[in-house]
Amino acid sequence: MHTVTAKGILSHDNGMNLYRGCTHGCIYCDSRSKCYRTDHDFEDIEVKENALALLEAALRRKRRRCMIGTGAMTDPYIPPEMKLEQTRGALLLIERYGFGVALQTKSDRVLRDLDILRRINDKTKAVVQMTLTTADEALCRIIEPRVSTTRERVAALRTLRDAGIPTVVWLCPILPYINDTRENILQLLTWCAEAGVRGVLCFGMGLTLREGNREYFYRQLDAHFPGLKERYMRAYGDSYVVNSPRGGQLMQLFHRFCEENGMLHDVDAIFAYLHQFEEKNAPQQLTLW
């Protein structure tokens, strides 16, 4: 772990990453791609030591309140967070200045900050997005070795539901010949419905591979699924989008199940929800009529 002094914290669409790099070890991680220009070892976490000062200055300058996002590139609840509390500090600032938040994680450590999330959600909107990939706990330990297991994440979704915190699930990636089965997708969606998930994001039954994350992914296939790398190379070559041969059938199952269980499943509609700032208990303007 090392520290840097950052020049800025919020992107043009109000997203932020308080850390750079990750120790979760997910075999498919797109953030390893060279296009992101991480100039240090991926497991050597970069901590933006002035992140909270930058965030407070940015929030104070904003003329209109909005949703603040975090977790797109680096999980806000990687292990160092439990000591450094960068994410907790950011949530406190978001609460103080009256903004909303949409955070993305694979960790049940998010429950540590349930108190702040509830206070934010009482005033505006706090949305927790949780990634789910496999219902098989043993497989989860292989493809996502150092993060909360699927069952721990589902338990966290239920706790968030009971606390009134809205949730969205990212159903991805679906790895061809590994977790692209009807049984897996149906079980994950069933758990989503039971946990009262508002929406499920799925961009297709597959994954993306490009320089940096492809090489890491293939090394992990060699280590855990002997012979599968060669099958990928024959089927997909250097393709960026790697779709499951069962993708069509699985997407039909996905859309049908979500529709029948009242969960949003249109990508644009879910992103619109995540970005829409809502102010609760706002004073109503009086009218003479």
Side-chain angles (χ1 to χ4, degrees):
M1 187 172 67
H2 66 282
T3 60
V4 298
T5 301
K7 295 181 179 179
I9 192 64
L10 288 182
S11 67
H12 71 280
D13 60 351
N14 300 307
M16 64 178 176
N17 286 288
L18 302 166
Y19 304 103
R20 196 170 190 188
C22 187
T23 57
H24 286 168
C26 303
I27 71 172
Y28 50 75
C29 182
D30 177 71
S31 295
R32 292 180 180 272
S33 300
K34 287 189 176 181
C35 64
Y36 298 121
R37 300 179 181 178
T38 301
D39 58 2
H40 56 86
D41 185 77
F42 192 70
E43 282 75 19
D44 178 18
I45 305 298
E46 180 178 283
V47 181
K48 300 174 183 179
E49 60 183 356
N50 59 331
L52 297 185
L54 289 172
L55 177 61
E56 182 166 21
L59 296 181
R60 292 180 66 179
R61 286 195 304 268
K62 283 192 174 294
R63 299 178 66 180
R64 297 181 62 182
R65 285 173 292 174
C66 61
M67 296 293 288
I68 305 297
T70 188
M73 288 291 296
T74 298
D75 195 311
Y77 290 99
I78 54 178
E81 164 60 23
M82 304 311 284
K83 177 180 179 181
L84 298 175
E85 296 193 346
Q86 293 265 80
T87 299
R88 186 171 178 84
L91 290 175
L92 286 169
L93 288 172
I94 289 168
E95 178 199 2
R96 181 188 307 169
Y97 288 95
F99 287 75
V101 67
L103 59 84
Q104 186 175 348
T105 185
K106 294 177 186 172
S107 177
D108 62 1
R109 295 187 186 98
V110 66
L111 296 179
R112 179 203 63 182
D113 295 331
L114 186 57
D115 57 336
I116 311 175
L117 293 171
R118 291 182 70 170
R119 294 199 300 268
I120 294 172
N121 199 60
D122 285 343
K123 300 174 184 176
T124 172
K125 188 165 66 181
V127 186
V128 174
Q129 303 162 74
M130 191 75 73
T131 299
L132 300 179
T133 59
T134 177
D136 185 326
E137 292 287 274
L139 180 59
C140 181
R141 283 303 188 195
I142 293 173
I143 66 176
E144 301 160 335
R146 293 184 294 278
V147 68
S148 300
T149 68
T150 300
R151 290 184 182 275
E152 290 168 340
R153 289 177 234 171
V154 171
L157 288 171
R158 291 170 177 157
T159 299
L160 292 162
R161 172 203 62 199
D162 294 343
I165 304 298
T167 57
V168 166
V169 161
W170 290 62
L171 187 67
C172 63
I174 303 302
L175 312 177
Y177 316 116
I178 296 178
N179 63 335
D180 60 336
T181 66
R182 175 183 175 85
E183 293 74 19
N184 181 53
I185 301 303
L186 187 58
Q187 182 62 77
L188 292 175
L189 291 174
T190 298
W191 284 337
C192 288
E194 292 171 352
V197 167
R198 183 177 182 90
V200 183
L201 276 166
C202 183
F203 303 94
M205 297 295 168
L207 77 157
T208 58
L209 293 176
R210 50 188 164 187
E211 186 179 5
N213 80 311
R214 177 185 289 108
E215 291 78 6
Y216 184 81
F217 180 67
Y218 280 172
R219 288 197 298 273
Q220 299 308 308
L221 290 187
D222 278 340
H224 301 288
F225 307 96
L228 190 53
K229 178 185 75 175
E230 289 73 22
R231 190 174 183 180
Y232 267 73
M233 294 174 68
R234 289 193 302 269
Y236 305 110
D238 293 330
S239 297
Y240 170 58
V241 178
V242 177
N243 287 321
S244 165
R246 305 187 182 104
Q249 295 176 350
L250 294 178
M251 286 303 292
Q252 288 179 8
L253 170 65
F254 163 71
H255 287 299
R256 183 173 62 251
F257 187 98
C258 289
E259 190 68 26
E260 291 174 351
N261 287 273
M263 297 187 293
L264 292 175
H265 52 102
D266 177 78
V267 171
D268 291 338
I270 295 173
F271 277 120
Y273 170 73
L274 292 172
H275 286 95
Q276 182 180 6
F277 178 78
E278 301 174 9
E279 188 171 9
K280 299 176 181 176
N281 302 318
Q284 298 294 316
Q285 185 175 1
L286 295 178
T287 177
L288 296 175
W289 309 104

